[in-house]
Amino acid sequence: MIQLLCMSKRSTNPIKHHITCFLEYCEVEKGLSDNTQKNYNHHLAQFVRWLERQDRPHCLAHELTADDIWNYRLYLAKKYRTNTGAYLSKASQNRLLSSLRALLRYFHVRGIEAIAASDVTLAKDNSSQSLTYLPLPDILKMLEVPDITKKKGLRDRAIMELLFSSGLRVSELVGLDVTDVAGITDASNRSFEISVTGKRNVTRSIYISPRAASWVTTYLKSRTDALDPLFINLASRFKDHHRLTPRAIHMMVVKTAALAGLSKKITPHTFRHSYATDLLSHGADLRSVQELLGHKNVATTQIYTHLTNTQLRKVHEQFHARHEDDSKPTE
């Protein structure tokens, strides 16, 4: 039986025809979230389009070579442009390559002959050394931008307050329903606990500060609808499009940062970075921050120690090391 499992067979179906079955495998056997499946589908569609440009729309799994992988990497790094005409960042290249890796691992599990997933190497990415986070004064500048006399302004303020208070991923935030926050009020001096489902369909507890809870409550009081999503597209006329999308929140945050006069590249994930950095810089232990963020491995959380170590170095240089300038040894 073990020998049969180790044997590979050559599939007669083109790679593109395996993608639907791969996504079903991700849902049923791997238990991956809808958002992860959508990303895989989007990324693999890009790979299929690349094959079509190579005049190989019917390429079979076993026909894929190491040279093909290298040429695809070169294409992503040097030729592919986004809708704005920009080149892909290393992180974006790696997301596309990681999806291809996942498909190749699926081929291996199903006993389909194909190049090993380990042969798809990722681009070296040093972005973790320059993660963008905001100090509290800049966070406050952004929070003051929305016009809270209008429903949209209240909604946007509540979104940013919640992102910074909880460290939620934007995909987790858009998945929240009104019922998920039914227990919070605007009259408490303690944090509120709610459950969210994050990556790999793992459920964890997050905590919302009294301040953020107050803004969410105020926003909900301004609504007169009976829709399920917590954050809705107020301009949508279509029943199926009421839930606010991650892209809509991304665009709102980028615009708000510009109006606040911030020159950094700010995204919804910047609030998550800022949340983690704020916790660590005020003495939170790494394991607790790992659990609050929903990281599977503590190594993922450790990227924030670089940020806090840099901050501590600046504090030392500003408030301590300067006193020693006049006492250096003479030669």
Side-chain angles (χ1 to χ4, degrees), residues 151-314:
K151 286 185 179 180
K152 183 178 181 298
L154 273 177
R155 182 201 66 188
D156 294 350
R157 177 70 182 260
I159 287 172
M160 291 188 291
E161 291 276 1
L162 190 52
L163 285 172
F164 181 58
S165 169
S166 63
L168 278 167
R169 300 179 178 96
V170 68
S171 59
E172 296 167 344
L173 181 128
V174 299
L176 289 174
D177 288 332
V178 174
T179 53
D180 293 324
V181 296
I184 71 172
T185 69
D186 55 359
S188 175
N189 58 359
R190 299 188 63 185
S191 296
F192 293 92
E193 179 181 353
I194 67 172
S195 294
V196 297
T197 301
K199 287 186 175 181
R200 303 173 300 279
N201 280 335
V202 174
T203 299
R204 76 178 191 282
S205 292
I206 63 158
Y207 297 89
I208 304 173
S209 69
R211 168 179 166 144
S214 179
W215 281 103
V216 170
T217 303
T218 302
Y219 154 68
L220 286 174
K221 287 178 180 178
S222 73
R223 283 176 49 178
T224 56
D225 60 82
L227 297 170
D228 293 332
L230 175 58
F231 294 112
I232 60 174
N233 182 351
L234 297 170
S236 177
R237 298 179 180 178
F238 304 99
K239 183 178 180 181
D240 295 336
H241 298 155
H242 281 302
R243 189 180 296 276
L244 210 58
T245 64
R247 177 169 174 77
I249 294 179
H250 176 90
M251 293 174 64
M252 180 273 289
V253 167
V254 170
K255 182 178 179 180
T256 301
L259 291 173
L262 304 181
S263 58
K264 295 179 180 179
K265 180 181 178 181
I266 309 301
T267 70
H269 216 68
T270 305
F271 284 88
R272 183 169 162 88
H273 295 326
S274 304
Y275 167 78
T277 305
D278 187 66
L279 287 172
L280 288 168
S281 64
H282 284 88
D285 66 276
L286 200 62
R287 290 289 182 180
S288 296
V289 176
Q290 175 194 359
E291 189 170 343
L292 288 167
L293 292 174
H295 285 160
K296 183 178 180 181
N297 298 313
V298 73
T300 308
T301 317
Q302 285 176 329
I303 61 174
Y304 297 108
T305 61
H306 171 78
L307 300 179
T308 52
N309 288 346
T310 301
Q311 183 183 27
L312 291 174
R313 178 190 293 272
K314 290 180 179 178

Side-chain angles (χ1 to χ4, degrees), residues 18-34:
H18 285 283
I19 294 176
T20 298
C21 291
F22 164 67
L23 295 175
E24 291 173 349
Y25 162 81
C26 289
E27 178 182 8
V28 176
E29 295 194 34
K30 299 287 287 183
L32 300 182
S33 68
D34 290 342

